[in-house]
Amino acid sequence: MREIGHFIGGKEMKGGSGRFGDVFNPNTGEVQAKVAFANRAEMERAIANAAAAQPEWAATNPQRRARVMFKFLELVAKDGENLAKLLSCEHGKTIPDARGDIQRGVEVVEFACGIPHLLKGEFSEGAGPNIDLYSLRQPLGVVAGITPFNFPAMIPLWKCAPALACGNAFILKPSERDPSVPMRIAELFLEAGLPAGVLNVVNGDKEAVDTLLTDPRVRAIGFVGSSSIAEYIYATGCAHGKRVQCFGGAKNHMIVMPDADMDQAVDALIGAGYGSAGERCMAVSVAVPVGKKTADILMEKLIPRVENLKIGPSSDAQADYGPLVTRAHLNKVKDYVELGIKEGAKLAVDGRNFKLQGYENGNFMGGCLFDEVKPSMRIYKEEIFGPVLSVVRAKDYAEALRLPSEHDYGNGVAIFTRDGDTARDFTSRVEVGMVGVNVPIPVPLAYYTFGGWKRSGFGDLNQHGADSVRFYTKTKTVTSRWPSGTKEGAEFVIPTMK
Ligand code: NAD
């Protein structure tokens, strides 16, 4: 059985704790590898390696650090297909979708290539008598990222690329469910010229994470995953004096106004609701048609589309989506469907009994569609993270605006309409971090920032874009007088600019 260890100090290392997790092939349900779970001592070794390598990396000028990023891009372009296959067979997303996962990560590496420009501080000449005032952005030191299973290339790259470009050393604790791509990313960075020890990948569970949260050498932690763990990591990391940003779960609504192009809206709901088997933090899991007529047309168009979704093995490039990540997760999603029926929602399409010939033990599930879901139901309040779309009928625009705004989660939201006034009003008033207008998955591009509100995001700064540079650096402000010989005598009153 293949064993996946850790990547510490530029070398792959076997796990030494004696604890392992199973890495499944979601297509067949078989265990395809064992991943090592690091103990405290192994994580501490990675932190020590990172701390030793960081000062020289920080002293490497930003243009040289950018060259490592450029080289990494070349290597990923060459290795892209292998990476996509590796990703797809551990996660279960189709190969075209796996390529998208890698590409979205690559775009943040492209952003990080601009680091010489991004790190420029401010300068005010003659701010006082012979005094210049300027600011510097300096790396934090050793920083860490803890990432989820659903984007095993994109999110590790969102975390590590800006952090490394800023001059930090990085420790990645990826998801134990699909750790191979993160390990490969570390190898490629080393091949691209990143000094050994600057990027370490340590696999594991709570013990590894808790070591990162409590070790004083780790200055900042970026987390992406479910909200309950996000909250724990935010509270514990902050209590230990670290800078922390945590991105959690979601319940993304798509409002369909009566004037929307219904075919476009249905296409959007099918792609954003069921793509990647709904295992995306920006998946649309709630459709909100406004008015009875809109809801009836939407249901009439949606039902046959959901019934005819093409579900296949992750290697089938023609499939709409592949298997769910694990059997345990599949069962959890099916339990939510059962719960929805008990709560009184109307199950218009039931995909629970779907079986794929030749892959009977795979984690496959057909699309499910609920109508008449009410805000009081748990299937509305909680994140399901599967191919299940809930339709909540709103009587008017005011109610449609209230639903996502009052929901505990606030990651993404979309409105489909042909009316500019409504779109603008919605964009301005909705209490959600990322908004799409006639765009179902409004994931901002690398040079804007990504982050949700309420229980979808903990901390002040977002991921990628300008916020990533702010998060991974500290600002130093320098007040400097030249020529130095000016004699003004001792000043006992606070200097002002009167
Ligand atoms: P998860 O919370 O189970 O795991 C995330 C990470 O936390 C993993 O590395 C895991 O090993 C670690 N972890 C798990 N339990 C822990 C514990 N008790 N103590 C310390 N660490 C622990 O999430 P997941 O199932 O891998 O990913 C899916 C979740 O991630 C969904 O809720 C999804 O919405 C969310 N997500 C959010 C975003 C976003 O940007 N908001 C993006 C992608 C995924």
Side-chain angles (χ1 to χ4, degrees):
M1 174 79 53
R2 186 164 69 95
E3 235 180 78
I4 303 164
H6 314 294
F7 196 87
I8 299 176
K11 286 193 281 289
E12 190 167 350
M13 290 190 172
K14 274 184 164 299
S17 71
R19 291 198 307 123
F20 292 89
D22 291 330
V23 179
F24 293 95
N25 178 341
N27 294 294
T28 62
E30 285 162 3
V31 176
Q32 56 173 325
K34 295 265 177 202
V35 60
F37 283 179
N39 57 25
R40 188 166 190 103
E42 288 171 301
M43 183 57 96
E44 283 174 348
R45 189 178 321 140
I47 298 170
N49 265 276
Q54 192 267 336
E56 202 178 322
W57 175 242
T60 305
N61 72 49
Q63 229 168 327
R64 291 205 172 126
R65 297 204 298 260
R67 283 187 198 131
V68 173
M69 299 288 144
F70 279 113
K71 184 70 191 168
F72 175 82
L73 291 175
E74 263 176 46
L75 297 175
V76 172
K78 261 196 235 152
D79 204 35
E81 271 315 284
N82 290 332
L83 271 178
K85 281 187 197 144
L86 192 61
L87 193 160
S88 149
C89 84
E90 283 185 0
H91 176 284
K93 63 179 75 175
T94 61
I95 303 245
D97 201 25
R99 288 189 199 116
D101 186 330
I102 296 162
Q103 178 57 25
R104 272 294 182 138
V106 154
E107 287 168 15
V108 171
V109 184
E110 289 170 346
F111 169 76
C113 286
I115 201 67
H117 177 73
L118 294 166
L119 282 180
K120 282 195 293 192
E122 300 152 307
F123 192 94
S124 302
E125 185 188 19
N130 294 333
I131 288 179
D132 302 324
L133 191 60
Y134 60 97
S135 64
L136 310 171
R137 287 207 164 273
Q138 298 187 328
L140 302 178
V142 177
V143 299
I146 301 153
T147 55
F149 82 86
N150 67 323
F151 280 98
M154 178 183 91
I155 296 180
L157 288 171
W158 282 13
K159 297 282 172 211
C160 75
L164 295 171
C166 288
N168 300 285
F170 196 86
I171 298 176
L172 175 65
K173 206 305 281 168
S175 169
E176 62 281 20
R177 287 180 251 175
D178 42 15
S180 292
V181 167
M183 291 288 281
R184 187 74 193 120
I185 286 173
E187 280 171 13
L188 292 174
F189 263 117
L190 188 76
E191 206 180 319
L194 192 72
V198 176
L199 173 59
N200 303 278
V201 180
V202 183
N203 286 304
D205 57 358
K206 188 166 162 49
E207 184 171 350
V209 171
D210 285 346
T211 310
L212 288 171
L213 289 174
T214 51
D215 191 303
R217 292 168 294 181
V218 177
R219 299 294 153 82
I221 300 221
F223 169 88
V224 181
S226 53
S227 290
S228 54
I229 311 291
E231 212 166 11
Y232 164 72
I233 293 200
Y234 189 70
T236 315
C238 289
H240 285 83
K242 300 179 196 311
R243 191 177 282 185
V244 192
Q245 55 169 201
C246 293
F247 301 93
K251 200 79 182 176
N252 305 315
H253 296 56
M254 185 176 127
I255 315 302
V256 183
M257 294 300 292
D259 66 351
D261 176 330
M262 291 304 276
D263 291 325
Q264 187 196 31
V266 168
D267 278 343
L269 282 170
I270 287 290
Y274 299 94
S276 200
E279 293 171 323
R280 287 183 185 139
C281 68
M282 290 294 272
V284 171
S285 49
V286 181
V288 185
V290 174
K292 182 174 182 324
K293 196 170 154 211
T294 316
D296 292 344
I297 299 171
L298 189 73
M299 285 307 293
E300 196 187 311
K301 285 179 181 275
L302 267 177
I303 289 171
R305 295 289 296 274
V306 179
E307 284 171 340
N308 290 304
L309 281 164
K310 187 170 180 308
I311 299 136
S314 62
S315 55
D316 177 359
Q318 304 309 316
D320 295 327
Y321 66 85
L324 280 83
V325 67
T326 56
R327 175 55 55 118
H329 186 57
L330 172 71
N331 290 339
K332 183 178 154 195
V333 174
K334 285 186 177 174
D335 287 350
Y336 266 115
V337 177
E338 189 60 40
L339 174 69
I341 298 167
K342 283 199 192 120
E343 290 184 308
K346 194 170 137 201
L347 187 60
V349 183
D350 183 357
R352 283 174 298 169
N353 293 325
F354 175 84
K355 281 272 172 237
L356 187 65
Q357 220 184 348
Y359 295 90
E360 284 76 8
N361 293 322
N363 311 325
F364 294 94
M365 177 170 168
C368 291
L369 177 65
F370 274 115
D371 193 4
E372 290 171 29
V373 173
K374 305 288 178 236
S376 57
M377 295 178 182
R378 273 183 59 203
I379 59 159
Y380 174 74
K381 290 183 185 162
E382 297 171 20
E383 184 182 48
I384 299 175
F385 222 55
V388 183
L389 179 65
S390 295
V391 174
V392 180
R393 294 169 174 242
K395 64 176 186 311
D396 53 21
Y397 168 69
E399 188 184 351
L401 171 65
R402 246 189 345 262
L403 283 164
S405 297
E406 290 180 357
H407 202 284
D408 278 354
Y409 291 117
N411 212 38
V413 71
I415 186 165
F416 275 61
T417 179
R418 288 183 169 110
D419 183 75
D421 291 3
T422 308
R424 191 165 187 276
D425 184 77
F426 183 80
T427 307
S428 162
R429 288 167 64 199
V430 72
E431 293 285 320
V432 173
M434 293 173 281
V435 184
V437 177
N438 298 319
V439 171
I441 307 186
V443 178
L445 290 175
Y447 45 96
Y448 278 78
T449 72
F450 179 109
W453 289 6
K454 301 179 278 183
R455 285 184 57 75
S456 298
F458 303 80
D460 302 316
L461 293 169
N462 277 349
Q463 309 186 84
H464 62 65
D467 270 9
S468 63
V469 177
R470 292 185 194 113
F471 184 73
Y472 289 120
T473 56
K474 51 195 175 206
T475 307
K476 188 178 275 177
T477 314
V478 182
T479 307
S480 154
R481 174 152 61 200
W482 294 107
S484 63
T486 330
K487 302 245 175 337
E488 285 170 354
E491 275 202 50
F492 294 96
V493 176
I494 181 153
T496 63
M497 276 295 143
K498 239 182 177 173

